[in-house]
Structure formats: structure tokens, C-alpha cells
Amino acid sequence: MGPDESIRSLRDAVRHSPDNVPLRTHLAELLLASGRAAEAEAEYRSALSFAPESDALKCGLARAFLEQGKRNEAMVVIEALLAQPDTPAAAYLVHARALMRAGDPGRAARQYRQAIELDPDLSDDELAEALGVTDEPDDFAEVVDGRQRSSSEGGGGAVEPTFERPRVTFAQVGGMEDLKKDIQKKIVLPLRHPEMFEAYGRAIGGGILLYGPPGCGKTLLARATAGEVKAGFINVGLHDVLEMWVGQSERNLHAIFDAARQRQPTVLFFDEVDALGARRTDMRQSAGRQLINQFLAEMDGADGSNEGVLTLAATNAPWHVDPAFRRPGRFDRLIFVPPPDEPARAQILRIELAGKPVRDVDHERIAKKTKGFSGADLKAIVDRAVDAKLDEALEAGAPVPLGTRDLLAAAKVVKPSTADWFATARNYALYANEGGLYDDILAYLDGGS
């Protein structure tokens, strides 16, 4: 029996026995092995609803996140497991993979060694080779035990950032009215009325750090900001900056800022900025600290004026960002991006259902039933409802419209992915809330819609 047939058989079995955790776990693992990580995520979540304390299921969910590129979501789950006194070996392995993707091979190597020390069966030849974790190091290897060799040649040339002009504006962003007002005041108005700000000696530029649970529209908000002021937009990912060669990451970062300075006004957007600007006190390698120092120097305009360069960044873990980034002139405004409110959820559902066969969908009713759901979660609801409807359509030989009942049924299965984030965020808001930095989290938890 092939993997697709096995998956179909397991799905049928799960339908008849939905609370059978081993069955759901086996299905999730098979989906993950088949490269269907999004479906595996849904099954792991369903299994966790029946066995919420299962470390194995949590590790599986983190793996599913990681395979979809949801590194921050994976880290939220893994950090909770690492905080336990009896951390499972598999958690160290997933952590090693996440750190490797974040460009931190040194810590990744340490976590990998911890994993295989606890459970030798978890050894992964491909990962070990990438990390240089071997019993007999290769004298010519580029990475040895997580430490990258320097290069007298200094690697290749600096990156050429991709420059775009977004057409999306705040009008296309559902909800988030308070957030849009904050960004209007900080970024939009200075560009529309430069003479007013110049009269008071206020520079046009600066930075905003958007933070909150994953999948809640931080990237869309940044792109809409650029569209609102008709500015250029450079979306900076980890792969655009991080390089294995010593000094090359700093050169890449300088090239990105330099490109923005030459084409102002430009919105520079750094996603997952905690991976580039982590706390220096948490770092053991000097290369990481040098990159952060370069980042800070670029934001200060040490090598050129940043007038007209608007720096936005997003993170799911603001508590991991070096405090130096929050000084005036850098990311001096932290804006909490919560899950969409009820009107925004209804709007997101309309967008996700556009172009699909629907009939009498009560978007507001579904929005009321999905408190705490992120935009990504709402998309998952629509996707699950579509999958169920496709089975009917194939049997009927014609498209069958989606209705309110179909979407509500899917909403009962999909769990809000923001819950794990808020569990971690609450601890920081309660016990590490310097100067009321995370008061917005507490306010949302006390009365979020």
C-alpha cells in the first residue's frame, strides 16, 4: 500500500474514531513524512486536544511548524518544552533544526549533541554533517562543531535587495484601526506634511517594531504602510542577510540599508528580527554580536543619512530582541498586533471565500465563534471546509456551495494557534514587563474581542 492509500485509510479510521490519539498521531507522522506539513499540523492539534500534556505530540507539532517555515511558532512550542525539568530528547533535536535555520549553527550543534546523548536513535547524518558534528572532523570542512571557518576571500559580493512598490493600502487591511492610527502618526503624516515636521526639527524616518502572535498580519501591515505613502518596499528575510562567511552578513546588511538610502522614501521591513537582533548577552559567538552592532550602526545612520528611510520590523518574541534596539531613533515604538477583532475576522473570511462557490454564508456569525483566531487560522478553517466539500463535489460530479454550517464545522476542528503564544507572552507581561512594555498584552487578555 502506497503512502497516499495509507493516508486515506487512516483518515477513514480517524473519522470513525476521532478520539483515538495513537491513530491520529500515526496519521500526522505519515502526513509529515509525505511532505504534507500543513495537514500534519491540523492532525497534531486535534490529537493535542485529547492529550494536551503529550510531549511527543508537542514535538510533532513543532516539527510540522518548522517544515512550513513557521520557525517562530515552532520556537514557542519548543521553548515551553525546554523549560521543563525532564525535556524530551526530541525537543532538543527540533530546537537544533530551528536554530540551524535561524543561522545559529553553534547553539544548534550543542542542542543536537544533547539530543543524541539522550537518545542515540535520533542521530541524523544530514544534520550532523551540516553542523560539523562528527567524531572525526574533516580538516577541509567549512563548519566544524557548529563553528564556521573564516575565509580570507571574504565570501561573495553583497546581496542585491529586491525593491518593490506595493499597491495594497490601509483600506485593504481589515480592522487594526488603532494600529493604523499609530503608524499614520509615526510614518504617514511626516511624509505627507514634511514642512510641518521640518519646522519642529523632527527627522522623517525612524522605526517601529511590530510584535504579536504569528499569522496576525504584521507583514501585510508593513506592506500596506509602504503602499499608503507610495514608498518603495524592501522585504528583508534572514536569507538576505545571514551568510556563513565571517563579515559577509554585515556587508549584506549595509548593502540593504544603502539601497534604501539611495531610493528614499523606502520602507525597510525586517521579518523575524529577533533572529538578527537577539540579546547580545545570550550570545556566545562574537560573529552574532558583530552583526547586531552593525545593525545598530545602520539604524543610527553612522555611514549615511537615514532621512526618508522608514524601518519596520516584526517579531513574535520581542523579549528576545536586544534592548539597544528600543532606544530613540531606532525601534522606539513597539506596537502590539493582536489577533484580528470580530469585524476584521469577518472581513478576512470574505477575502478567503472570494471566488469560491458559496451560498448564504453568515460571515459575522462565524466571526463571533472564532475569537482568538489569527488570519492564518481563519484561512485554515476555509481550507478544511473546502476539503470536506470537495469530497461531496467529486461524488456529485458538480461543485457544491459552501455554507455557514460547513465553516462552523471546520471551526470546531481548527484550534487557534495563538493560544501557545499568549501562554508564553503572559509570563513575560507579568514578570518581565520593564516600564510597562507589554501592558498591551495584558489589556488584550483582559478584554480582547
Side-chain angles (χ1 to χ4, degrees), residues 128-270:
E129 183 178 354
L131 292 171
V133 179
T134 60
D135 294 329
E136 298 179 4
D138 182 351
D139 291 339
F140 298 98
E142 293 172 341
V143 181
V144 178
D145 205 16
R147 294 189 295 275
Q148 296 166 337
R149 294 187 188 276
S150 62
S151 169
S152 58
E153 299 177 0
V159 297
E160 291 288 339
T162 301
F163 189 89
E164 56 181 293
R165 288 198 176 274
R167 295 184 178 181
V168 62
T169 65
F170 287 163
Q172 283 83 51
V173 179
M176 300 187 186
E177 296 306 323
D178 291 339
L179 304 183
K180 288 186 279 193
K181 286 179 183 177
D182 281 343
I183 294 176
Q184 287 270 6
K185 186 183 297 184
K186 174 75 177 181
I187 290 180
V188 178
L189 292 177
L191 282 171
R192 287 182 177 169
H193 306 283
E195 69 287 347
M196 289 285 192
F197 285 79
E198 288 171 7
Y200 288 94
R202 292 294 298 272
I204 300 174
I208 289 177
L209 180 60
L210 306 171
Y211 77 95
C216 291
K218 295 185 284 293
T219 303
L220 175 62
L221 198 58
R223 198 178 294 275
T225 300
E228 193 74 15
V229 296
K230 297 180 172 57
F233 185 74
I234 299 177
N235 190 354
V236 185
L238 296 180
H239 63 281
D240 296 315
V241 177
L242 297 178
E243 290 274 1
M244 63 173 289
W245 305 110
V246 172
Q248 186 63 39
S249 297
E250 291 89 329
R251 282 190 286 274
N252 287 342
L253 195 59
H254 175 71
I256 290 166
F257 269 92
D258 203 40
R261 294 179 187 119
Q262 292 175 22
R263 304 184 71 169
Q264 56 181 281
T266 294
V267 172
L268 260 181
F269 177 62
F270 291 87

Side-chain angles (χ1 to χ4, degrees), residues 75 112 134:
M75 291 296 281
Y112 177 74
T134 60

Side-chain angles (χ1 to χ4, degrees), residues 387-422:
D387 286 343
K389 221 56 178 172
L390 272 172
D391 291 339
E392 289 185 37
L394 290 171
E395 289 182 11
V400 180
L402 285 163
T404 303
R405 183 178 298 177
D406 302 306
L407 292 159
L408 289 174
K412 290 180 180 179
V413 178
V414 176
K415 304 300 179 184
S417 61
T418 61
D420 291 334
W421 186 89
F422 276 111

Side-chain angles (χ1 to χ4, degrees), residues 373-387:
F373 281 63
S374 69
D377 296 331
L378 294 169
K379 182 180 185 304
I381 288 173
V382 173
D383 288 346
R384 181 171 281 270
V386 166
D387 286 343

Side-chain angles (χ1 to χ4, degrees), residues 1-13 26-27 30:
M1 183 182 294
D4 289 344
E5 292 178 359
S6 298
I7 288 171
R8 280 195 293 271
S9 297
L10 282 169
R11 283 200 187 280
D12 289 339
H26 185 32
L27 173 57
L30 189 56

